[in-house]
């Protein structure tokens, strides 16, 4: 009897694994095939991952360039399959079906979709939950809509205008330290700007989120950064169920760091509660918020929302700043034009909201930078519970859609033959006139999930850059090595080294 039960259990397990890893994805694959979506033939367990690895290594992707090109190099396999199977094709990461979508007519509908049944990819969420918790960035459905409704008003333009002073204060303190370095070094300094810019944007978002508690918020920054690094190491493309719960060395390290971050945030929340929670910042809003059922939001909700805003709110901005400074160092004529504009608009004054609006050339440079170097080169979405139709295709529930943002931003059919070059002039008449299909320019994402900190980020970039360019000039240091690394976000692999002089 016992051996029969064991045999039965083994049979059930084998069938369960076979069903999940093969039968179910095969059923969905056939439905897509019947609608004309092709793709490489998958193998059991790995799907197309081995082939992907083989193609990527056969194309010998070298990230580092001797001469600087702005070419986009993530996964040449995707480009290879696109040439083979057309702009919309499917492939399997393990048992997960992913449809790569670059056909403009389908993308148009995707960017307009507001259904709660269309959300973030569940595989993406699994990888980020440890970093961001259950938060606006990682939830789907009603829970996401609720979180977004609470946090979004904190980053509306009117509120952001009130945060410009804190952006200025943080920037001036960095500029003073650069001034000392330049003077001590005898007129110019060779500075790796990465750490300084990361500290600067962490300082800004700390003040915006935590108000007077910002020094404690800052302490969290180094911990979150360490967790992010550990998560990149832990990331795997294979969709192995339960992998992140296995108590191996890497996972244990990630759990320990997460606990520490959680405890630090709880400490700040508790201190704020004891003091009466009377400040006008994100932390106060979160502490006073209700959950979906109308009762008081949990401390976990407050902690995870702070963590998300803190992470999302400094990393992308600091990396974008690095790329802007690098591109201006490589293009001195644009640097001079932008500086002249800043001088004319600000007239020796600290920039305020109205002045920022008048900085057209600076806006064009920022837009062109975010086109060439998108923070998120791929955006993943999923048809969550039900089938959804985009263009002529019904995408079955549970299918991941890959939107190749960086490839779209580099496509000569969309941007013209100079798509690979730095030419901010293309944005002279705004983003809507810069290319053939304006909705394919998506540095802040798209649809209802578009970056929640968009207004904040643009104001922050402009304040920081206008103050920096008003005081210093930047040229490329001989120490700079051009290479882009694609992790949770894409960034310069070896940092950005610049020669900084006072103007
Ligand atoms: C230059 C700076 C920034 C860039 C390039 C950027 C880019 C992005 C992108 C591409 C997404 C994904 C959108 C999508 O899936 O469609 C995103 C989401 C998000 N960003 Fe930003 N971001 C920046 C700055 C910020 C700042 C300063 C904050 C906070 C103050 C912020 C908060 C968020 C949040 C909370 C989400 C998730 C929104 C949701 O899922 O509903 N970001 N951002």
């Amino acid at each position: 009897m016992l051996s029969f039960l064991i045999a039965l259990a083994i049979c059930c397990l084998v069938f369960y694994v076979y069903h999940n890893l093969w039968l179910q994805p095969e059923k969905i694959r056939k439905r897509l095939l019947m609608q004309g979506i092709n793709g490489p033939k998958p193998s059991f367990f790995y799907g197309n991952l081995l082939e992907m690895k083989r193609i990527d290594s056969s194309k010998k992707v070298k990230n580092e360039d001797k001469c600087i090109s702005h070419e986009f190099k993530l996964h040449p396999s995707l480009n290879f399959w696109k040439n083979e199977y057309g702009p919309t094709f499917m492939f399997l990461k393990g048992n997960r079906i992913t449809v790569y979508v670059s056909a403009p007519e389908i993308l148009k509908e995707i960017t307009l979709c507001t259904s709660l049944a269309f959300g973030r990819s569940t595989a993406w969420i699994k990888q980020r939950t440890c970093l961001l918790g259950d938060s606006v960035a990682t939830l789907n459905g009603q829970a996401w809509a609720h979180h977004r409704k609470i946090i979004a008003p904190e980053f509306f333009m009117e509120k952001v205008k009130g945060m410009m002073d804190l952006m200025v204060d943080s920037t001036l303190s960095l500029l003073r330290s650069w001034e000392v370095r330049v003077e001590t070094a005898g007129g110019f300094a060779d500075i790796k700007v990465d750490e300084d810019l990361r500290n600067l944007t962490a300082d800004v978002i700390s003040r915006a989120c935590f108000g007077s508690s910002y020094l404690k918020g800052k302490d969290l920054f180094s911990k979150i950064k360490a967790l992010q690094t550990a998560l990149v190491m832990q990331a795997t493309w294979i969709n192995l169920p339960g992998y992140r719960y296995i108590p191996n060395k890497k996972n244990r390290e990630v759990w320990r760091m997460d606990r520490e971050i959680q405890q630090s945030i709880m400490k700040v929340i508790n201190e704020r509660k004891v003091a009466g929670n009377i400040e006008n910042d994100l932390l106060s809003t979160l502490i006073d918020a209700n959950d979906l059922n109308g009762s008081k939001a949990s401390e976990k909700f407050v902690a995870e929302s702070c963590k998300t805003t803190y992470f999302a709110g400094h990393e992308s901005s600091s990396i974008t700043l690095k790329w802007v400074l690098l591109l201006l160092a490589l293009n001195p004529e644009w640097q001079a034009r932008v500086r002249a504009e800043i001088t004319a608009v600000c007239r020796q004054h600290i920039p305020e909201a109205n002045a920022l609006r008048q900085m057209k050339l600076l806006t064009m440079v920022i837009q062109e930078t975010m086109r060439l170097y998108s923070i998120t080169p791929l955006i993943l979405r999923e048809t969550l519970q039900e089938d959804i139709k985009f263009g002529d295709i019904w995408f079955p529930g549970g299918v991941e859609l890959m939107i190749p943002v960086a490839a779209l931003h580099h496509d000569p059919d969309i941007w013209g033959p100079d798509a690979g070059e730095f030419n901010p002039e293309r944005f002279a008449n705004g983003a809507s006139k810069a290319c053939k299909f304006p909705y394919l320019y998506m540095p802040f994402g798209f649809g209802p999930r578009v970056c929640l900190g968009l207004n904040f980020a643009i104001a922050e970039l402009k304040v920081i850059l206008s103050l920096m360019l008003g005081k210093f000039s930047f040229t490329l240091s001989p120490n700079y090595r051009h290479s882009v690394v694609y992790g949770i976000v894409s960034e310069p692999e070896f940092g950005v080294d610049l020669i900084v002089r006072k103007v």
Side-chain angles (χ1 to χ4, degrees):
M1 183 65 183
L2 182 67
S3 47
F4 171 75
L5 285 177
I6 292 173
L8 188 69
I10 291 173
C11 284
C12 289
L13 187 69
V14 168
F15 179 74
Y16 175 80
V17 170
Y18 183 66
H19 180 263
N20 272 326
L21 293 188
W22 188 252
L23 289 183
Q24 208 175 27
E26 199 50 17
K27 207 167 114 193
I28 297 178
R29 211 174 75 86
K30 287 210 173 102
R31 283 187 59 195
L32 288 166
L33 272 172
M34 275 161 55
Q35 300 180 76
I37 307 285
N38 285 308
K41 212 170 167 355
S43 62
F44 181 70
F45 189 72
Y46 289 106
N48 299 105
L49 284 173
L50 295 180
E51 196 181 345
M52 184 171 211
K53 209 169 163 196
R54 186 182 55 73
I55 300 173
D56 286 350
S57 49
S58 74
K59 302 271 172 205
K60 293 206 171 48
V61 200
K62 258 204 207 140
N63 281 351
E64 189 168 355
D65 282 332
K66 283 278 168 275
C67 62
I68 295 173
S69 89
H70 307 307
E71 206 187 327
F72 164 66
K73 296 176 177 173
L74 178 66
H75 298 307
S77 48
L78 297 176
N79 207 29
F80 177 83
W81 286 332
K82 183 181 163 199
N83 292 335
E84 190 107 324
Y85 303 106
T88 303
F89 65 87
M90 66 175 146
F91 65 102
L92 268 82
K93 297 186 267 182
N95 63 341
R96 170 166 292 275
I97 297 198
T98 299
V99 181
Y100 176 103
V101 188
S102 65
E105 64 284 3
I106 303 181
L107 282 170
K108 186 170 187 180
E109 293 193 15
I110 289 177
T111 56
L112 292 174
C113 179
T114 54
S115 165
L116 287 180
F118 186 55
R120 283 230 184 284
S121 138
T122 39
W124 185 96
I125 288 175
K126 271 185 201 162
Q127 262 183 26
R128 267 67 172 185
T129 304
C130 198
L131 183 63
L132 305 177
D134 286 333
S135 68
V136 67
T138 56
L139 287 166
N140 277 325
Q142 285 298 346
W144 163 76
H146 180 70
H147 277 234
R148 181 128 184 158
K149 208 169 124 198
I150 293 170
I151 302 175
E154 290 300 306
F155 297 102
F156 285 171
M157 203 53 219
E158 277 317 302
K159 197 95 193 224
V160 169
K161 277 186 195 162
M163 298 176 186
M164 283 182 55
D165 285 349
L166 64 89
M167 295 173 184
V168 170
D169 286 351
S170 301
T171 312
L172 288 181
S173 111
L174 170 64
L175 296 193
R176 277 193 290 274
S177 83
W178 280 5
E179 222 160 359
V180 172
R181 286 176 74 176
V182 169
E183 274 159 18
T184 319
F188 67 90
D190 192 332
I191 301 180
K192 194 179 265 304
V193 293
D194 307 67
E195 193 74 14
D196 287 345
L197 295 180
R198 204 181 297 120
N199 287 338
L200 169 58
T201 54
D203 195 64
V204 171
I205 199 72
S206 274
R207 288 170 192 252
C209 288
F210 293 97
S212 63
S213 329
Y214 90 100
L215 276 176
K216 284 170 192 143
K218 269 185 86 176
D219 172 51
L220 282 167
F221 160 66
S222 54
K223 291 180 181 156
I224 293 177
K225 181 72 196 159
L227 178 61
Q228 183 200 351
T229 312
L231 281 173
V232 171
M233 308 282 289
Q234 184 207 41
T236 163
W237 271 59
I238 300 180
N239 184 31
L240 284 181
Y243 172 78
R244 70 200 174 98
Y245 300 109
I246 298 172
N248 57 19
K249 200 173 161 210
K250 277 184 194 160
N251 283 346
R252 281 204 313 273
E253 181 68 2
V254 166
W255 298 339
R256 184 190 58 76
M257 289 182 187
D258 193 42
R259 265 197 313 275
E260 272 183 33
I261 292 171
Q262 205 77 5
Q263 282 160 4
S264 303
I265 296 180
M266 288 302 181
K267 222 171 130 197
V268 181
I269 296 172
N270 289 333
E271 282 171 13
R272 184 64 74 87
K273 279 184 175 169
V274 170
N277 194 31
I278 45 164
E279 297 203 27
N280 179 22
D281 55 17
L282 177 72
L283 185 58
S284 292
T285 306
L286 294 170
I287 291 174
D288 286 341
N290 288 335
D291 66 16
L292 209 47
N293 307 317
S295 34
K296 201 100 197 84
S298 67
E299 288 188 335
K300 186 169 171 281
F301 160 82
V302 181
E304 297 190 333
S305 299
C306 281
K307 198 160 72 165
T308 293
T309 319
Y310 193 70
F311 171 74
H314 79 275
E315 192 75 13
S316 314
S317 304
S318 76
I319 295 170
T320 305
L321 282 169
K322 281 188 237 178
W323 289 125
V324 176
L325 290 180
L326 174 74
L327 287 166
L328 286 177
L330 288 169
N331 295 276
E333 68 294 353
W334 271 101
Q335 191 179 147
R337 284 179 70 185
V338 173
R339 185 171 297 111
E341 178 186 71
I342 292 165
T343 314
V345 170
C346 292
R347 296 200 205 105
Q348 310 288 330
H349 292 108
I350 294 296
E352 34 68 54
N354 202 26
L356 293 192
R357 258 196 308 278
Q358 294 173 43
M359 294 181 190
K360 299 267 182 278
L361 294 174
L362 181 58
T363 309
M364 286 152 61
V365 164
I366 293 171
Q367 285 171 320
E368 179 68 340
T369 304
M370 292 201 289
R371 182 185 72 82
L372 284 173
Y373 293 99
S374 337
I375 296 295
T376 33
L378 302 166
I379 289 184
L380 300 173
R381 291 279 198 272
E382 190 170 313
T383 48
L384 296 170
Q385 308 92 4
E386 53 195 62
D387 300 2
I388 302 184
K389 194 176 182 202
F390 294 122
D392 292 333
I393 298 159
W394 278 100
F395 290 85
V399 165
E400 185 177 84
L401 272 66
M402 178 182 276
I403 291 87
V405 179
L408 294 167
H409 284 184
H410 283 78
D411 189 341
D413 290 341
I414 299 168
W415 298 91
D418 67 346
E421 286 158 34
F422 176 75
N423 174 18
E425 208 60 62
R426 73 178 89 242
F427 285 99
N429 297 311
S432 61
K433 300 272 168 28
C435 66
K436 207 164 151 194
F437 306 107
Y439 51 89
L440 298 185
Y441 177 60
M442 43 178 97
F444 288 102
F446 58 85
R449 299 219 61 148
V450 72
C451 174
L452 194 144
L454 193 152
N455 292 324
F456 182 91
I458 293 178
E460 182 186 24
L461 293 175
K462 285 185 165 180
V463 167
I464 294 174
L465 287 165
S466 59
L467 288 169
M468 278 182 175
L469 290 162
K471 251 203 157 66
F472 296 103
S473 74
F474 301 92
T475 46
L476 199 61
S477 153
N479 294 328
Y480 177 69
R481 292 161 67 193
H482 189 66
S483 174
V484 185
V485 65
Y486 302 99
I488 286 183
V489 287
S490 47
E491 57 182 320
E493 183 169 8
F494 306 112
V496 173
D497 303 84
L498 297 172
I499 304 286
V500 182
R501 288 186 175 82
K502 277 185 80 175
V503 290

